[in-house]
Amino acid sequence: MQAAWTSAALGRSKKMPPLKGFMIRPDAKPKRQNWQAMYAVAASWAAERGTIQTREGAE
């Protein structure tokens, strides 16, 4: 979806922005996440789909 939006926006622009602004820096490293943050993301995905399953029936 973002690629489509970006392509459409670039097609409408009069002057192309520099490519450097679209590139990811090679020295940029993702931040490490703890298990609680990963669990929160997974739980939000599951809640969005309506399929939350927990251990031992806890909710």
Side-chain angles (χ1 to χ4, degrees), residues 4-41:
W5 183 89
T6 303
S7 297
L10 289 174
R12 289 190 304 267
S13 68
K14 294 185 183 198
K15 182 180 176 188
M16 282 292 281
L19 180 61
K20 196 178 227 181
F22 293 98
M23 303 299 287
I24 297 173
R25 294 189 339 238
D27 60 339
K29 295 183 181 175
K31 294 180 181 179
R32 292 185 60 91
Q33 285 185 324
N34 59 16
W35 70 267
Q36 292 94 341
M38 288 185 227
Y39 183 85
V41 170

Side-chain angles (χ1 to χ4, degrees), residues 33 38-52:
Q33 285 185 324
M38 288 185 227
Y39 183 85
V41 170
S44 69
W45 288 345
E48 194 173 294
R49 292 184 161 269
T51 55
I52 298 176

